Amino acid sequence: MRLRLARAADRDRIDEIVTSAYAPYIPLIGHAPAPMRADYGALIAAGVVHLPDGSGPSAALMVLLPQPDHLLLDNIAVHADAQGRGLGRALLGAAENMARQAGLPEIRLYTNAAMQRNLRIYAMAGYKETRRAHEQGFHRVFMSKRLS
């Protein structure tokens, strides 16, 4: 999968993707999930929002935050209309490739404990749970994957 960095002109579409992907979790969590509260203008300006590079409007995104010893997958979102087509899996693979190219041996992520489907997806992709914590009003599950 080819990716490109998001531009300011992508902001409205990014908001649509995030809202579509995360709104179903509001009743489970009791409030908007953390990705719905993020400042995407600042993240775009920082050059950390990645979109699939193709024709037509993007249907997915990921936010990658390089750290000294790992790549933090801060957010991965697929528009509800495009879920189940392998976009999320392709984005995970692209993140792994980017980490390898940067010489980083591990990808870390966290998700809400109420997002059971996401936990299963990450586990099937080789991510292992490392801890659970309550942070900023969220019950988070932290996961990592060592890259070979």
Side-chain angles (χ1 to χ4, degrees):
M1 169 181 278
R2 288 184 36 160
L3 298 173
R4 67 172 178 84
L5 289 175
R7 301 180 286 269
D10 297 313
R11 175 67 189 273
D12 289 343
R13 183 60 182 164
I14 288 168
D15 289 340
E16 289 175 29
I17 294 166
V18 170
T19 298
S20 176
Y22 289 102
Y25 292 109
I26 293 172
L28 290 172
I29 298 171
H31 49 80
M36 293 180 78
R37 300 175 178 187
D39 181 349
Y40 289 97
L43 292 169
I44 291 166
V48 296
V49 180
H50 302 265
L51 303 170
D53 191 14
S55 62
S58 294
L61 65 88
M62 67 180 167
V63 177
L64 299 172
L65 304 175
Q67 305 297 310
D69 62 345
H70 68 277
L71 183 63
L72 177 62
L73 176 54
D74 187 59
N75 181 11
I76 186 167
V78 178
H79 194 284
D81 293 342
Q83 291 178 5
R85 299 182 192 163
L87 266 176
R89 192 171 299 113
L91 285 172
L92 285 174
E96 291 174 18
N97 288 338
M98 292 172 75
R100 284 185 188 99
Q101 289 172 0
L104 298 171
E106 180 180 27
I107 294 184
R108 296 181 190 169
L109 59 84
Y110 55 88
T111 191
N112 195 290
M115 298 179 181
Q116 292 296 311
R117 180 174 181 251
N118 292 353
L119 290 169
R120 286 190 301 275
I121 290 168
Y122 295 135
M124 289 186 334
Y127 287 80
K128 307 289 184 208
E129 183 176 328
T130 58
R131 69 183 175 100
R132 290 180 181 235
H134 188 264
E135 292 182 343
Q136 301 172 4
F138 299 100
H139 295 284
R140 292 185 168 156
V141 178
F142 294 82
M143 304 178 87
S144 69
K145 181 176 182 177
R146 297 289 300 173
L147 304 173
S148 54

